[in-house]
Amino acid sequence: MSSSDSAAQRVLRVGIIGCGEIAQVAHIPNINFLSHLFRTTYLCDISKDALSYCSTKVNGSVPKTTTDPEVLCSSDEVDVVLIANADAYHVEHGILALKHNKYCLIEKPASVCFRDLDRLIEAEKSSKGKVFVGTMRRFASAFVDAVKEVGGIEKILYARVRDIIGPNSVFVDQSGTFPQKFSDYSASDTEDRLKREDDIQRQALEKEFGVPVTPESKRMLRVLGGLGTHDLSAMREIIGMPRGVSGAMLTLPGIFSVLFDYGSFAVTYESGLINVPEFDAHIEVYSSDKIVRIEFDSPYVKGLPTLMIVRENIDGSGFQERKIRKTYEDAYTLEFKELYRCVVEGASPKTSAADARSDIELFRMILQADSDRYR
């Protein structure tokens, strides 16, 4: 058997930190489906009820459980650490995984402040493990193809990035995964999380961005780190980083708008949360003779395709539209397959911790552009 055949037979053992909604709806089911590549061997959460419930959802042998992330990360029964708990702990637990030379998939955002992300990047330098940030849209087949399609455009004239969606609870409730919420954790656990969140937000807004710290600016930063990371990370890959922000209307709750300056063209970014239960998320890039559009659907309903739509001028006066659905394999599945390749081959993921630093830079640009709103 060749070394490549041997590597293909290897099943990676996954330890999951955080047994909340995303673990129940996406991560545990996908690992179950990808049983030829992964197996969940360890679970960690502050809720013992969540641990008990999620243990029943894991296929194969019953995973070990713990409330201590150090125990999971140091276990010789864990090859890869999946960090899907509260955002405030992503960096701390990522550093723990790296300390024990484990690859770690960190749910986005890895961080919303430079201070903490730089600690993660520094920890990676002395580890055999690597950080893989879970911006899964960038692994969708249609998106990968669209990056190539746009790369062939001689001159971009304009682009639009949109992510206006209905209540996430609607998509979760209709996903067929029946996630449960648990509350058997202490007041000190909640207090610690809130204290960490406040420290991170103040570090980002006040010390790094120079933006007033208010409930509204904190909410905006949370939305950019949550929903916005998907859009902005994908935007960077397909058309690069902007020079700056020409203007912004950060009107939350509701829908906010940003105008990015790309020098020779502009990009509008519009996003927000409404009550209409639809998922309107796309990136559309315009040139003189071709328009390339990528349409994303809710990742919480498995198997919904990502589409690439190309509209173009044919022979000067003709029109052609192509709608390409390359696969029903969803972005989470493709992300896990790429994680597997990176771990087995010792490769660096494109969605690295260093790459995620550019997302924070975009958060800074956006919040500074309408900072007077918070004064």
Side-chain angles (χ1 to χ4, degrees), residues 168-301:
N168 208 44
S169 58
V170 173
F171 309 121
V172 172
D173 290 346
Q174 296 177 15
S175 68
T177 55
F178 310 105
Q180 301 293 310
K181 294 182 179 180
F182 302 95
S183 58
D184 60 315
Y185 46 84
S186 67
S188 62
D189 288 328
T190 300
E191 183 180 347
D192 182 70
R193 176 178 59 80
L194 293 174
K195 183 179 178 180
R196 286 172 182 263
E197 287 177 355
D198 184 69
D199 170 66
I200 291 168
Q201 291 165 344
R202 288 182 179 277
Q203 173 67 27
L205 293 168
E206 187 175 46
K207 297 181 181 179
E208 296 175 356
F209 301 173
V211 172
V213 180
T214 68
E216 291 75 21
S217 64
K218 284 184 174 182
R219 177 174 56 195
M220 190 69 223
L221 181 61
R222 282 196 303 272
V223 169
L224 288 173
L227 183 63
T229 299
H230 286 303
D231 312 311
L232 300 173
S233 180
M235 180 187 80
R236 288 191 294 104
E237 183 170 349
I238 198 165
I239 57 175
M241 279 287 284
R243 292 182 178 182
V245 172
S246 296
M249 286 284 290
L250 305 183
T251 45
L252 279 181
I255 297 171
F256 65 91
S257 301
V258 179
L259 183 66
F260 287 113
D261 173 12
Y262 274 80
S264 61
F265 65 95
V267 174
T268 54
Y269 172 43
E270 47 194 9
S271 183
L273 306 167
I274 58 176
N275 291 326
V276 179
E278 72 163 355
F279 203 94
D280 184 5
H282 68 260
I283 297 174
E284 195 159 21
V285 181
Y286 292 76
S287 70
S288 179
D289 293 308
K290 181 185 290 188
I291 303 168
V292 180
R293 179 183 175 108
I294 315 102
E295 294 184 351
F296 304 96
D297 213 321
S298 172
Y300 285 89
V301 180

Side-chain angles (χ1 to χ4, degrees), residues 4 12 15 26 52 59 102 110 129 136 149 165-166 176 193 246 259 273 292 297 321 328 374:
S4 60
L12 298 177
S52 177
N59 287 352
K102 308 287 174 70
M136 73 288 180
E149 192 80 30
I165 64 172
R193 176 178 59 80
S246 296
L259 183 66
L273 306 167
V292 180
D297 213 321
E321 179 176 272
Y328 279 112
Y374 307 120

Side-chain angles (χ1 to χ4, degrees), residues 142-153 156 158-161 238-239 282-295 307-312 320 322 324:
F143 176 76
V144 173
D145 289 344
V147 170
K148 297 174 184 175
E149 192 80 30
V150 171
I153 290 176
I156 296 174
Y158 172 73
R160 178 174 59 247
V161 181
I238 198 165
I239 57 175
H282 68 260
I283 297 174
E284 195 159 21
V285 181
Y286 292 76
S287 70
S288 179
D289 293 308
K290 181 185 290 188
I291 303 168
V292 180
R293 179 183 175 108
I294 315 102
E295 294 184 351
L307 302 175
M308 178 172 71
I309 301 165
V310 181
R311 305 193 300 277
E312 55 193 328
Q320 174 177 274
R322 292 179 284 135
I324 301 100

Side-chain angles (χ1 to χ4, degrees), residues 358-371:
S358 295
D359 291 330
I360 302 177
E361 180 61 27
L362 290 173
F363 302 162
R364 182 189 67 79
M365 289 182 189
I366 291 168
L367 281 154
Q368 285 180 345
D370 198 20
S371 62

